[in-house]
Amino acid sequence: MDFWNHPDGNINHHLESRRIDSLQEMNHRLQMHSSLVRRLALDKVMEGHHGCVNAISWNSSGSLLISGSDDTRVNIWSYSTGGLIHSIDTGHSANIFCTKFVPETCDELLVSGAGDAEVRLFNVSHAKWKSGDVSTLEPSAFFQCHSRRVKKLAVEVGNPHILWSASEDGTLRQHDLRECSTCPPAGSSSQECRNVLLDLRCGAKKSLADPPKLCLLLKSCDISTTRPHQILVGGSDAFARLYDRRMLPPLTTCQTKAKPPPCISYFCPMHLSEHRRSSLHLTHVAFSPNGDEVLLSYSGEHAYLMDVNLGDQDTMRYFVNDVSKLLSINSCRETGLLPLKTSSSQFTGSKRHLGRLEMCKMLVQEAAKTLEEGSNVFHGIEMCNEVLHGKGPDVGPAMRHECLCIRAALLLKRKWKNDVHMAIRDCNNARSINPTSFRAYYYMSKALMQLRKHKEALDYALAARELDPTNSEAAEKVVNIMDHIAAAEEKRNREDCEDSTRGKVCRGRLRSLSDVLLRTGFNSEDSLDGHELERVDSDYEDEMEVDFETSISGDEGSDNEPNFFRGSLNLRFHKRDYLKRDNTVANGSLGLSAQHEASYEPEAAIDMKQRYVGHCNVGTDIKQASFLGQQGEFVASGSDDGRLFIWEKRTGRLVKVLLGDDAVVNCVQCHPFHCTIATSGIDNTIKMWSPHAQVPSIVAGGVAGPDSADVLSIMESNQHKLLNNRLSSSWRDLGCTSLLKELYVLSNVLRADFCVQSSSNFPFFYKAGLHWRTEGGYYPK
């Protein structure tokens, strides 16, 4: 099982081969070798900030680390000693979200971007200070042209003259340091800077089929190190966008009216492309070191790997009609698997490859055993991942089909977030290998039942029964689905009958605000289902007011509950000012006209090829997922549970969990050349991790001592957080689940802020912070 534990080979063999192979190539292989990754442990804790550390970045040589914090300071640290060299009081009036060294400037120039919508450039050679002192340094360049928070900065390797800033105002700006050192603030009477490279104020899409209309609040951007003309951006929708700077129009100002420029590629997992969830958005996008892959991190979702250069891999590119075909029994589309590798028959003389094939057979048998016993489901899935995605020759169509069916069944049994969609992909891939596969049809019907697509599930169940009439499970599945369909139809008819006789709700116990605000007030036919309700455009212009005299309980229990309140409520919904501005832009010449919308042809998108699960990303929208090492063979992400997760890139197998923060780990940056990782988050410290542990392990502790938690329990806890809405715990803690959840959702549906006035003292309204601005969904820091 040495191949299973170390798929990148024995490190001693790599050390021996340095006498033959290129030293540079060998150093790249050894930098993040699996045996080193498993020995990562806390090396240094760097103290010097007085707030959350939201940004960290290495210089090109790896000798210095720069950090930005809520305390509005930028600190420069020594890698060798871990000591603080300089601390700069930047003068920003809000949290710093991004900071970088400007390349080819001897690390004298650094840049910062913050929540005050400003980008500031500093020349540290102009400062006179002692090591570790805090110095107020006047910026040598000062850009105020953004109108909302600056979330990400990007620089090009070898280019000291240009930098890029991505902001939540929907623009990506290109700053040429040779042209100007200051610019007028956005909206000033002076001529605005002509530095808008991408204007995506009407660039956000609700789904792949929809034309871009809404403002894309940019959260992240990245420049390819191998193809610096390529720039990747991600923001407040599900799609990352790849642009070629050579094909973009000339730089403009925000006063110039223009439609969003066409991009080279959209990147989005197929199962997320039609979600239409306003809360689904990207928190980080990154190129791989060789520029051939991109890594996307989603809020409330997992991290996903995708190919930039598809070549002949047409199965990774999909169109709008492919999304619906994915569930259709009349079509079979292979999705998300790497292309077939070289046939194993060519490696009969290779002892290593024969050993790999024997190991795969054993892993498939063990995975089948876990499915039969119903235990160790997670490990069974990991075994299947190794067989299907691991290095080495292809295992052949028969074993490939067997493994796909087993993994689909295990995913349906585990029921983590989006496991059902991964199972559907496996079933379709199994059907592409064997169109008469009973298990592929049977597990597909079970998956569709989990999605409550009963009619489609019935089609697959009937097909499975035809393929194996003697199978009792298939016959029972058909009867079960038919019962569900009949029950759903009966419930629908009963609700329609009740709706026709229901009078206008005006007094009594408040069960559902949607009855009043959506059905009677706005004639919306959307159903209120958690936070999955799609936003709709309302008919009101500025304000709507609804009065109730009602009794309100936190849950649907009896009136004698202690958390039961009585009184009158006045709910006032105000259309959000920034949405008025965005809609004005969208309805003007900058947006798509009705004629253009009618003729809009959706572009293709690139599907995922690997998914990384186990962490939790719901609490912050600056959480990073990064490639590790110069070859990028591992992927890492921070998590809301204060841990750092590291996966094997190719297989998605979790190889290391590090306890890096008391609250949340947001930033993960690997050293350019060494097996060292820097992390930061809600704590005001930076942690440095290096491979000095005596014994390799999957879980390692941090400042608070060893982490004794079980890996599986850690992952299951995070999955539970993902499956529940990000605010559900707050609703439960406040004892007013139903009402406050609906208030929050309805504020997003109506695209409005709301305030509550009551004749009784409802302390939970104050605690819930109903005065907050849910800007396009709940986006905390």
Side-chain angles (χ1 to χ4, degrees):
M1 295 292 287
D2 184 64
F3 198 101
W4 164 258
N5 293 322
H6 302 291
D8 44 5
N10 189 299
I11 192 170
N12 292 322
H13 296 163
H14 287 305
L15 293 173
E16 288 293 327
S17 63
R18 286 190 300 179
R19 295 177 296 180
I20 304 173
D21 296 340
S22 164
L23 181 61
Q24 183 181 21
E25 180 183 353
M26 188 53 55
N27 287 339
H28 290 179
R29 293 181 194 171
L30 291 174
Q31 181 188 358
M32 299 302 293
H33 192 274
S34 59
S35 62
L36 298 178
V37 172
R38 286 185 173 86
R39 292 179 182 269
L40 285 172
L42 183 64
D43 190 10
K44 300 183 183 74
V45 178
M46 298 148 68
E47 299 180 352
H49 280 296
H50 300 282
C52 306
V53 183
N54 304 318
I56 52 176
S57 180
W58 295 96
N59 66 345
S60 58
S61 65
S63 60
L64 299 175
L65 182 75
I66 189 172
S67 61
S69 169
D70 285 358
D71 60 13
T72 69
R73 293 179 183 176
V74 168
N75 287 354
I76 302 176
W77 311 82
S78 168
Y79 166 58
S80 59
T81 65
L84 178 62
I85 300 176
H86 300 311
S87 184
I88 303 170
D89 188 352
T90 61
H92 282 294
S93 59
N95 305 352
I96 294 176
F97 289 112
C98 43
T99 184
K100 292 274 189 182
F101 285 105
V102 178
E104 304 300 326
T105 61
C106 299
D107 303 322
E108 293 182 352
L109 290 184
L110 56 91
V111 61
S112 62
D116 57 8
E118 295 177 356
V119 176
R120 298 186 173 214
L121 182 76
F122 299 93
N123 191 328
V124 295
S125 65
H126 295 169
K128 297 180 180 179
W129 48 32
K130 296 180 181 179
S131 179
D133 287 348
V134 179
S135 173
T136 301
L137 186 63
E138 290 297 321
S140 56
F142 185 52
F143 303 101
Q144 298 175 279
C145 34
H146 283 296
S147 61
R148 299 185 70 181
R149 299 189 299 180
V150 178
K151 297 306 289 289
K152 207 69 176 180
L153 295 168
V155 294
E156 177 187 347
V157 175
N159 187 344
H161 306 301
I162 299 177
L163 58 93
W164 293 265
S165 58
S167 168
E168 291 178 338
D169 62 10
T171 64
L172 180 80
R173 294 180 181 259
Q174 178 173 298
H175 308 281
D176 194 327
L177 305 181
R178 297 166 295 185
E179 293 183 352
C180 63
S181 59
T182 60
C183 68
S188 66
S189 57
S190 306
Q191 176 64 40
E192 189 181 355
C193 290
R194 185 176 293 273
N195 60 6
V196 177
L197 180 64
L198 288 175
D199 189 348
L200 298 174
R201 289 176 293 168
C202 289
K205 296 161 64 75
K206 292 183 179 179
S207 69
L208 185 61
D210 290 336
K213 293 181 182 179
L214 306 175
C215 179
L216 181 67
L217 285 64
L218 293 181
K219 304 290 184 181
S220 183
C221 65
D222 196 21
I223 299 284
S224 173
T225 56
T226 56
R227 305 176 187 89
H229 55 273
Q230 291 184 348
I231 187 166
L232 183 70
V233 298
S236 56
D237 66 9
F239 302 92
R241 295 153 173 85
L242 178 65
Y243 293 92
D244 188 328
R245 291 193 286 124
R246 302 170 300 181
M247 301 170 61
L248 294 175
L251 299 178
T252 64
T253 69
C254 278
Q255 305 301 322
T256 305
K257 307 292 184 179
K259 293 185 296 185
C263 62
I264 299 176
S265 299
Y266 284 100
F267 298 92
C268 181
M270 190 186 294
H271 62 279
L272 300 181
S273 64
E274 297 294 321
H275 246 257
R276 297 176 175 267
R277 278 169 42 200
S278 59
S279 62
L280 180 65
H281 67 281
L282 288 157
T283 63
H284 194 253
V285 296
F287 281 103
S288 63
N290 62 8
D292 291 339
E293 297 167 319
V294 296
L295 185 63
L296 311 183
S297 180
Y298 284 90
S299 175
E301 262 289 337
H302 309 295
Y304 294 92
L305 180 72
M306 300 173 187
D307 272 326
V308 174
N309 306 309
L310 293 181
D312 297 331
Q313 300 177 40
D314 290 334
T315 58
M316 306 299 291
R317 183 181 284 108
Y318 65 94
F319 295 86
V320 171
N321 56 350
D322 292 326
V323 180
S324 58
K325 289 180 180 178
L326 196 64
L327 306 182
S328 173
I329 196 171
N330 298 320
S331 64
C332 181
R333 185 180 190 276
E334 186 177 359
T335 58
L337 278 181
L338 296 172
L340 289 173
K341 295 170 279 188
T342 309
S343 173
S344 60
S345 61
Q346 299 181 16
F347 296 97
T348 54
S350 172
K351 185 176 180 180
R352 177 175 173 80
H353 287 140
L354 288 175
R356 150 96 182 154
L357 292 176
E358 287 299 320
M359 183 197 72
C360 287
K361 292 179 182 179
M362 183 182 65
L363 290 176
V364 172
Q365 293 172 358
E366 289 295 320
K369 185 177 179 181
T370 62
L371 176 61
E372 181 181 352
E373 296 175 352
S375 60
N376 295 323
V377 173
F378 170 75
H379 296 292
I381 295 172
E382 294 273 88
M383 295 174 189
C384 293
N385 291 342
E386 175 62 30
V387 174
L388 294 169
H389 304 290
K391 291 183 179 180
D394 185 69
V395 294
M399 188 181 299
R400 190 181 179 95
H401 171 269
E402 175 76 10
C403 198
L404 286 168
C405 291
I406 293 173
R407 187 169 69 174
L410 290 169
L411 288 166
L412 294 174
K413 188 179 290 291
R414 187 174 68 173
K415 295 182 181 181
W416 286 4
K417 189 175 182 69
N418 285 330
D419 274 357
V420 62
H421 293 286
M422 300 300 106
I424 288 173
R425 298 162 72 92
D426 283 350
C427 291
N428 281 325
N429 289 327
R431 288 171 60 210
S432 68
I433 298 173
N434 181 7
T436 61
S437 170
F438 165 79
R439 285 185 296 170
Y441 283 93
Y442 178 73
Y443 293 137
M444 188 71 165
S445 69
K446 294 186 69 173
L448 293 169
M449 281 293 291
Q450 287 191 16
L451 294 177
R452 299 187 180 182
K453 296 185 178 294
H454 299 140
K455 293 182 179 180
E456 293 87 346
L458 180 60
D459 292 338
Y460 281 96
L462 290 171
R465 189 178 65 177
E466 291 179 6
L467 289 170
D468 189 357
T470 62
N471 192 293
S472 60
E473 290 184 353
E476 290 176 5
K477 179 61 67 176
V478 170
V479 174
N480 180 262
I481 295 173
M482 287 182 172
D483 290 342
H484 273 88
I485 294 175
E489 187 67 25
E490 181 182 353
K491 181 180 179 181
R492 190 180 303 110
N493 293 335
R494 185 171 62 253
E495 290 177 349
D496 291 343
C497 182
E498 291 175 356
D499 289 341
S500 64
T501 59
R502 181 183 300 170
K504 184 177 181 180
V505 179
C506 60
R507 186 177 291 270
R509 181 163 182 167
L510 183 60
R511 290 290 185 177
S512 176
L513 290 174
S514 58
D515 289 339
V516 177
L517 298 179
L518 290 181
R519 296 181 183 175
T520 66
F522 294 95
N523 299 320
S524 171
E525 297 179 358
D526 293 300
S527 62
L528 192 64
D529 181 17
H531 286 247
E532 303 296 324
L533 185 58
E534 177 189 354
R535 286 181 179 167
V536 294
D537 292 327
S538 60
D539 297 325
Y540 73 104
E541 290 297 327
D542 294 310
E543 179 174 310
M544 174 193 174
E545 189 168 311
V546 183
D547 291 295
F548 299 95
E549 185 173 334
T550 182
S551 299
I552 304 171
S553 174
D555 299 304
E556 301 301 327
S558 66
D559 292 355
N560 297 322
E561 293 177 355
N563 62 346
F564 187 77
F565 302 96
R566 299 181 185 276
S568 62
L569 288 180
N570 174 277
L571 305 182
R572 185 172 298 158
F573 290 81
H574 300 272
K575 197 164 189 176
R576 297 186 182 124
D577 292 337
Y578 80 92
L579 283 172
K580 293 181 191 177
R581 295 194 300 269
D582 292 347
N583 289 338
T584 300
V585 174
N587 294 327
S589 60
L590 191 61
L592 292 173
S593 65
Q595 181 180 0
H596 286 157
E597 286 187 30
S599 60
Y600 175 74
E601 295 184 3
E603 300 92 338
I606 296 177
D607 199 7
M608 56 163 280
K609 71 174 186 180
Q610 192 53 268
R611 178 180 69 144
Y612 306 101
V613 302
H615 67 302
C616 181
N617 180 9
V618 296
T620 61
D621 72 347
I622 57 173
K623 197 168 281 90
Q624 298 177 356
S626 306
F627 293 95
L628 301 183
Q630 297 175 81
Q631 290 191 324
E633 291 299 321
F634 292 90
V635 166
S637 174
S639 177
D640 287 352
D641 63 354
R643 292 180 172 88
L644 168 67
F645 288 75
I646 302 176
W647 301 269
E648 194 176 273
K649 183 188 73 174
R650 188 179 182 90
T651 65
R653 181 158 59 105
L654 184 67
V655 296
K656 193 70 176 179
V657 179
L658 299 167
L659 185 57
D661 198 284
D662 288 338
V664 177
V665 172
N666 282 324
C667 304
V668 180
Q669 291 295 312
C670 183
H671 190 277
F673 308 110
H674 299 167
C675 184
T676 300
I677 301 173
T679 63
S680 69
I682 300 300
D683 285 355
N684 56 13
T685 59
I686 300 170
K687 278 84 172 179
M688 206 76 74
W689 309 84
S690 62
H692 64 83
Q694 296 296 319
V695 180
S697 63
I698 296 182
V699 178
V703 180
D707 190 351
S708 60
D710 175 70
V711 175
L712 187 56
S713 65
I714 293 172
M715 301 175 75
E716 287 177 340
S717 175
N718 284 333
Q719 288 301 308
H720 180 73
K721 296 174 186 176
L722 284 178
L723 289 171
N724 288 282
N725 186 273
R726 66 179 70 191
L727 294 179
S728 61
S729 60
S730 298
W731 303 132
R732 286 193 299 269
D733 294 341
L734 295 168
C736 48
T737 307
S738 302
L739 174 63
L740 290 184
K741 182 186 289 187
E742 289 203 55
L743 284 175
Y744 173 78
V745 176
L746 288 169
S747 70
N748 283 294
V749 172
L750 303 177
R751 301 168 75 180
D753 290 321
F754 62 90
C755 62
V756 180
Q757 296 175 344
S758 70
S759 62
S760 299
N761 180 23
F762 296 149
F764 53 76
F765 287 132
Y766 173 77
K767 292 179 182 178
L770 297 186
H771 58 280
W772 66 44
R773 295 183 62 86
T774 50
E775 299 178 353
Y778 182 74
Y779 293 145
K781 185 177 71 177

